């Protein structure tokens, strides 16, 4: 072995490398045992920087230490990183010298022959995470299904800034529902909501309306309607306490419906929403509910009304059912509640129930809205029946309806609790009895859903 002097394993003269496994003193080298990286390890092992054996449902290290394994979060973090890296690579492979946020590679816009100028929010890590969550998780939770929102609306959002802000808003709201203790998601939703609303309004201004992309306006309207549903008290004035009478869902839903119908009438047979904007969902739900034999008198016990005769839907609206009264429009929902209570499988009609419930507030007439603002007990009973029924039907299948329905039920029940000797006390007791609502030791309502 050549003399290596003070350089250890390299010789000054011949640059010969030391024999494998022996140092310059003739001693055996310590070999570091090789191990592959844990790509799908749990979050606890990642945070401790130790190798995870990736055993499910809990790895051995977490089981030994009595810790909870968070594999889903770890996998999602890996997926988000891959998603970010993929899109950044596409950005960087665009034409040299172009700013990162001004152009997106042609493969994103669906045109491999050239790049396109796009106006989208800054693609920082947070935006990419929200985009990823919308594409893979939130899109499948919205009305009309994943294929429409992921495969057709998301590409449109890459070309229209206010629609992209709307998608990021609903994505952040969904994350906030899943992780309510993390304040950053609610903040992100608020940040993206403002440009989404302002862009939506600007697209409707004056003579610009006929020249706008109809699909973009309709998509943004539906996404904003989902968002208004997803928070308990929507657009409450700053100087007003959140309450059922100050909630803005009813008037906002009515306005969104009017916009969608006005835009859709310009090109009624074109666009990606054509098949969804017909009244088929509503007609099907009505036809189904008329054939159901209800085992419980909801009208008498909930609304203190005689049995109400059905009216047929009169207009082709987004998901509405004609200009009929609020209590009459509760009848199909009551039939669905009764069917579930009796153990009937209604999965085939459930998409129609979703469409009907989402659009129910958009069909409320002005006089009913005025009654809500005035805290009319009869109107409050109708809203309690609506939200309690939605909580019962949708709580496990429509996240955007769950939290609002629960909070609104609690708010309305608190209102009736404060009213002494209310003539509607019997109806409140019947509603709470049917859905299993109870009071705790402090007198607060527990809904248990």
């Amino acid at each position: 072995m050549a003399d290596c002097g003070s350089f250890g394993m390299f010789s000054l003269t011949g640059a010969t490398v030391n024999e494998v496994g022996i140092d310059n003193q003739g001693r055996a080298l310590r070999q570091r045992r090789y191990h592959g990286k844990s790509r799908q390890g749990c979050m606890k092992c990642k945070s401790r920087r130790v190798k995870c054996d990736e055993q499910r449902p809990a790895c051995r290290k977490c089981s030994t230490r009595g810790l909870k394994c968070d594999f889903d979060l770890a996998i999602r973090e890996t997926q988000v990183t891959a998603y970010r890296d993929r899109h950044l690579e596409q950005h960087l492979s665009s034409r040299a010298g172009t700013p990162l946020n001004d152009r997106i590679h042609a493969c994103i816009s669906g045109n491999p022959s050239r790049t396109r100028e796009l106006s989208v929010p800054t693609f920082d890590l947070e935006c990419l995470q929200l985009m990823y969550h919308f594409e893979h998780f939130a899109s499948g939770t919205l009305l009309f299904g994943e294929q429409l929102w992921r495969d057709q609306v998301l590409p449109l959002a890459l070309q229209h800034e206010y629609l992209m802000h709307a998608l990021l808003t609903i994505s952040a709201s969904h994350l906030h529902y899943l992780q309510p203790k993390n304040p950053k998601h609610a903040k992100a939703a608020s940040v993206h909501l403002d440009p989404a609303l302002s862009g939506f309004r600007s697209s409707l201004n004056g003579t610009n309306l006929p020249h706008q992309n109809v699909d973009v306006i309709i998509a943004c309207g539906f996404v904003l309607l989902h968002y208004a549903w997803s928070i308990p008290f929507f657009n409450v004035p700053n100087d007003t306490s959140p309450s059922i009478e100050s909630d803005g869902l009813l008037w906002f839903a009515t306005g969104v419906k009017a916009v969608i119908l006005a835009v859709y009438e310009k090109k009624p047979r074109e666009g990606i929403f054509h098949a969804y904007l017909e009244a088929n969902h509503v007609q099907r739900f009505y036809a189904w509910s008329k054939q159901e034999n209800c085992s419980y008198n909801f009208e008498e016990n909930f609304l203190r009304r005689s049995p109400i005769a059905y009216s047929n839907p009169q207009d082709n609206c987004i998901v509405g059912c004609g200009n009929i009264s609020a209590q009459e429009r509760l009848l199909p929902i009551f039939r669905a509640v009764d069917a579930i209570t009796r153990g009937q499988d209604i999965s085939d009609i459930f998409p129609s129930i979703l469409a009907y419930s989402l659009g129910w507030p958009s069909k409320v007439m002005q006089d009913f809205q005025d009654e809500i603002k005035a805290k009319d007990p009869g109107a409050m009973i109708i809203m309690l029946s609506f939200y309690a029924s939605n909580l019962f039907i949708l709580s496990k299948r429509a996240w955007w309806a769950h939290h609002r329905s629960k909070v609104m039920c609690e708010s309305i029940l608190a209102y009736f609790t404060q009213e002494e000797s209310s003539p509607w006390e019997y109806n409140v007791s019947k509603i709470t009895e049917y859905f299993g609502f109870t009071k705790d030791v402090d007198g607060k309502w527990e809904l248990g859903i």
Side-chain angles (χ1 to χ4, degrees):
M1 182 176 68
D3 183 12
C4 299
S6 61
F7 286 88
M9 54 184 308
F10 292 104
S11 170
L12 288 176
T13 56
T16 54
V17 182
N18 198 358
E19 286 87 343
V20 177
I22 302 176
D23 65 10
N24 60 341
Q25 303 297 324
R27 294 171 301 189
L29 293 173
R30 295 180 62 185
Q31 298 292 325
R32 187 171 184 174
R33 187 172 57 183
Y34 171 80
H35 66 273
K37 282 193 173 183
S38 173
R39 300 291 184 183
Q40 303 293 334
C42 71
M43 291 298 291
K44 291 292 191 302
C45 289
K46 284 179 178 290
S47 64
R48 295 175 56 220
R49 297 182 180 275
V50 297
K51 179 175 172 57
C52 180
D53 59 17
E54 301 179 15
Q55 291 186 10
R56 304 301 178 90
C59 72
R60 184 175 302 175
K61 287 185 172 60
C62 287
S63 298
T64 302
R65 297 167 63 92
L67 301 175
K68 179 182 178 181
C69 257
D70 296 322
F71 275 107
D72 291 340
L73 290 175
I75 293 173
R76 202 170 97 194
E77 181 185 72
T78 303
Q79 292 172 333
V80 168
T81 302
Y83 181 80
R84 175 200 62 193
D85 294 342
R86 184 174 73 252
H87 280 280
L88 287 178
E89 181 180 355
Q90 292 170 347
H91 293 328
L92 294 173
S93 63
S94 301
R95 192 173 63 190
T98 303
L100 177 62
N101 293 313
D102 290 346
R103 293 179 181 272
I104 297 180
H105 192 256
C107 63
I108 299 180
S109 63
N111 187 349
S113 61
R114 62 186 180 92
T115 56
R116 299 182 60 183
E117 291 284 355
L118 302 180
S119 177
V120 294
T122 303
F123 275 83
D124 58 13
L125 177 58
E126 183 182 42
C127 285
L128 288 169
Q129 289 173 330
L130 292 176
M131 283 178 61
Y132 177 89
H133 185 80
F134 179 83
E135 180 180 357
H136 294 275
F137 299 97
S139 61
T141 68
L142 304 183
L143 180 65
F144 305 141
E146 180 182 47
Q147 186 175 0
L148 171 70
W149 297 105
R150 182 195 63 195
D151 300 340
Q152 300 185 72
V153 173
L154 184 57
L156 282 178
L158 289 168
Q159 305 175 50
H160 298 273
E161 182 175 356
Y162 72 92
L163 178 56
M164 176 60 77
H165 279 296
L167 299 190
L168 299 184
T169 298
I170 198 65
S171 180
S173 183
H174 186 225
L175 281 168
H176 180 61
Y177 174 80
L178 297 175
Q179 303 171 3
K181 294 183 179 180
N182 190 337
K184 77 172 186 177
H185 301 314
K187 181 179 178 181
S190 178
V191 166
H192 291 289
L193 177 63
D194 286 342
L197 285 172
S198 61
F200 184 62
R201 293 191 192 100
S202 298
S203 69
L204 307 175
N205 286 340
T207 58
N208 290 333
L209 183 57
H211 304 291
Q212 293 295 316
N213 187 315
V214 171
D215 286 334
V216 175
I217 296 176
I218 293 176
C220 189
F222 272 116
V223 172
L224 291 175
L225 182 58
H226 279 86
Y227 176 74
W229 258 96
S230 72
I231 55 177
F233 301 105
F234 177 72
N235 203 34
V236 175
N238 294 329
D239 57 347
T240 305
S241 300
S243 61
I244 182 66
E245 66 270 17
S246 65
D247 177 49
L249 175 63
L250 297 183
W251 65 261
F252 183 78
T254 303
V256 169
K257 182 204 73 173
V259 167
I260 292 177
L261 286 178
V263 173
Y264 181 65
E265 287 174 357
K266 297 182 179 299
K267 295 183 178 180
R269 299 297 176 184
E270 300 179 15
I272 61 177
F273 283 93
H274 168 64
Y276 303 99
L277 295 184
E278 298 298 313
N280 293 341
H281 273 304
V282 173
Q283 295 282 4
R284 187 182 177 207
F285 189 31
Y286 260 86
W288 173 86
S289 63
K290 284 183 179 181
Q291 297 173 359
E292 291 296 309
N293 294 319
C294 200
S295 63
Y296 186 83
N297 191 342
F298 290 92
E299 298 98 303
E300 175 66 25
N301 291 319
F302 284 16
L303 306 177
R304 203 171 62 181
R305 296 281 193 275
S306 299
I308 304 169
Y310 270 93
S311 293
N312 290 321
Q314 300 171 355
D315 58 351
N316 280 351
C317 59
I318 52 173
V319 283
C321 53
N323 294 315
I324 54 180
S325 64
Q327 65 264 27
E328 189 175 345
R329 287 186 291 108
L330 285 175
L331 297 183
I333 296 177
F334 287 156
R335 300 297 185 270
V337 170
D338 186 69
I340 294 174
T341 302
R342 291 185 284 107
Q344 182 176 337
D345 182 12
I346 62 169
S347 56
D348 60 330
I349 201 71
F350 195 80
S352 299
I353 299 175
L354 277 180
Y356 189 90
S357 298
L358 180 74
W360 192 92
S362 71
K363 296 299 296 182
V364 168
M365 292 178 279
Q366 185 60 49
D367 58 349
F368 185 79
Q369 295 185 40
D370 295 338
E371 291 173 355
I372 291 294
K373 292 179 180 179
K375 293 185 177 181
D376 177 78
M380 289 291 200
I381 281 289
I382 291 174
M383 295 305 295
L384 176 60
S385 300
F386 172 66
Y387 281 121
S389 299
N390 273 323
L391 188 62
F392 182 77
I393 299 172
L394 306 179
S395 61
K396 296 180 180 179
R397 301 186 66 174
W399 68 271
W400 43 266
H402 178 217
H403 188 46
R404 159 176 281 275
S405 297
K406 184 175 182 179
V407 172
M408 287 302 176
C409 283
E410 293 170 343
S411 178
I412 299 172
L413 288 171
Y415 159 77
F416 279 111
T417 301
Q418 296 171 0
E419 295 289 315
E420 296 182 359
S421 302
S422 170
W424 296 88
E425 184 176 352
Y426 170 81
N427 303 87
V428 173
S429 67
K430 286 297 182 180
I431 294 172
T432 56
E433 177 186 342
Y434 187 94
F435 292 109
F437 301 161
T438 58
K439 288 183 179 180
D440 61 14
V441 292
D442 297 324
K444 294 182 179 180
W445 286 99
E446 293 182 339
L447 308 188
I449 300 179

